[in-house]
């Protein structure tokens, strides 16, 4: 019997001191939380039968670790942006059916286009082969 099923059989809900439902576990082992989940540094959210995916904070770094045999997908319908907290600076922008932009100090430096790439600034390379 799974841990979630055992917990569900013990109690369908866990309530806080105000008698509000904090956690609900249904018969399909789906867990619903009424509010945020707080974990101490070093504690992990572990997913998968073989603990394939972990999300945790070490105190010095935040980590998403995928150790499974499959791929880790980060999906967005129209755009995926990697940036800092508050979205003040973007490091990389991935557009559906469009350009991928890499930035330095929030300035666009490398962009894919339908015909190749555009580079803003200088390019340093150990070698260059030009065809066409």
């Amino acid at each position: 019997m799974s841990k979630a099923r055992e917990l569900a059989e013990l109690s369908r809900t866990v309530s806080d001191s105000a008698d509000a439902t904090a956690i609900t576990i249904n018969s399909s082992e789906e867990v619903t939380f009424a509010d945020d989940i707080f974990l101490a540094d070093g504690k992990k959210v572990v997913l998968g039968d073989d603990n394939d995916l972990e999300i945790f904070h070490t105190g010095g770094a935040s980590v998403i670790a995928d150790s499974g045999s499959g791929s880790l997908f980060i999906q967005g319908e129209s755009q995926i942006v990697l940036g800092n907290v508050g979205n003040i600076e973007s490091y990389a922008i991935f557009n559906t059916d469009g350009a991928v932009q890499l930035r330095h100090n929030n300035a666009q430096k490398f962009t894919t286009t339908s015909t190749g790439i555009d580079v803003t600034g200088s390019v340093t390379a150990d070698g260059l082969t030009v065809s066409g």
Side-chain angles (χ1 to χ4, degrees), residues 21-93:
T21 301
I23 301 171
T24 303
I25 304 172
N26 68 20
S27 61
S28 298
E29 298 185 18
E30 297 169 335
V31 179
T32 303
F33 295 89
D35 207 340
D36 296 339
I37 301 169
F38 295 93
L39 300 174
D41 288 345
K43 299 299 179 187
K44 301 176 180 181
V45 174
V46 181
L47 304 168
D49 291 337
D50 296 321
N51 302 328
D52 307 47
L53 180 64
E54 297 178 343
I55 303 171
F56 60 97
H57 184 72
T58 65
S62 298
V63 180
I64 299 173
D66 175 26
S67 61
S69 58
S71 300
L72 174 66
F73 292 92
I74 300 173
Q75 301 175 335
E77 187 59 35
S78 62
Q79 189 178 70
I80 295 173
V81 179
L82 301 178
N84 69 341
V85 174
N87 295 319
I88 296 168
E89 283 197 27
S90 299
Y91 314 135
I93 301 172

